[in-house]
Amino acid sequence: MDKFLFALAIVIAYFLGNISPSTFMAKLQGKDIKKEGSGNAGTTNALRVLGKKAAIITLVIDVGKGFVAVVLGGLIAGPTAALWCGLASFAGHIWPVLLRFKGGKGVAIACGILLAVNWKLALVLIAVFVSVILLTRMVSLGSITAAVCFPLLSYFMERDFLVVGFIMAVILIYKHKANIIRIVKGEENKISF
């Protein structure tokens, strides 16, 4: 493995992760997405603060940048680099240097990374995510449940991704710590269908 190409791929992936469509769209409307709603730059808060169109754009771009990071990493430096580029883009999304390290929680970009690594694994986790939301009306609980299942399913369906998947799952759960407290207290926000 060429170390320079590996490092280059990681840097590109990290900065891909820095792209924040909801932050940009909020600024166009004279808003700061980090100071409204839940204060998160992800799809759910974009829906609350900016509306359906902005939420869809945010979702597509966040999923897309994770997918592109893995594919580019593979093209630049090979399959092992592709996996670590997924983690780099994930880190770039959550801790973006271009946005003073204040990013999203990583659910949508994790989906894009998974789609690029193993689409079957991604579809199983999406099914878990959606099922929990339909049962509880809590997006956060769907995200947390999928994150818990993430490493377990990786072990059976994509073992090469196990280490990266475990790291991502731990970070995802940690980023939802406030949601977990609200769920336990019965105070978590629910979506209406």
Side-chain angles (χ1 to χ4, degrees):
M1 184 191 310
D2 187 310
K3 290 179 182 177
F4 172 77
L5 289 178
F6 183 89
L8 176 65
I10 294 290
V11 170
I12 291 170
Y14 174 81
F15 281 102
L16 268 173
N18 276 231
I19 298 167
S20 179
S22 63
T23 302
F24 178 73
M25 288 184 288
K27 282 184 179 177
L28 289 177
Q29 294 183 25
K31 297 178 181 178
D32 183 350
I33 194 86
K34 302 302 288 179
K35 292 181 180 176
E36 299 201 34
S38 66
N40 182 46
T43 302
T44 306
N45 201 39
L47 177 63
R48 286 191 196 110
V49 176
L50 305 172
K52 289 180 183 176
K53 184 178 177 183
I56 292 167
I57 292 169
T58 298
L59 178 64
V60 169
I61 292 175
D62 283 352
V63 170
K65 67 189 184 185
F67 187 91
V68 170
V70 172
V71 172
L72 268 181
L75 291 173
I76 293 169
T80 301
L83 300 178
W84 291 100
C85 282
L87 182 59
S89 66
F90 182 75
H93 175 84
I94 294 172
W95 300 293
V97 67
L98 299 179
L99 298 171
R100 299 178 186 175
F101 301 101
K102 294 178 181 177
K105 291 183 179 176
V107 177
I109 192 168
C111 180
I113 292 162
L114 275 171
L115 284 167
V117 171
N118 183 325
W119 64 269
K120 292 177 184 176
L121 174 59
L123 290 182
V124 171
L125 286 165
I126 289 168
V128 169
F129 173 73
V130 171
S131 298
V132 173
I133 293 171
L134 290 174
L135 289 170
T136 67
R137 295 191 294 124
M138 289 186 276
V139 175
S140 59
L141 188 56
S143 303
I144 294 160
T145 306
V148 169
C149 295
F150 202 164
L152 180 65
L153 290 171
S154 292
Y155 179 82
F156 292 105
M157 298 179 73
E158 189 64 49
R159 205 163 287 187
D160 290 343
F161 193 63
L162 184 58
V163 174
V164 172
F166 179 77
I167 294 167
M168 286 174 59
V170 169
I171 294 169
L172 271 168
I173 293 165
Y174 174 77
K175 291 297 289 182
H176 284 83
K177 63 186 184 297
N179 302 89
I180 293 168
I181 292 166
R182 288 195 298 270
I183 290 167
V184 171
K185 290 181 176 179
E187 298 171 356
E188 182 63 323
N189 294 324
K190 294 186 178 183
I191 60 171
S192 70
F193 300 116

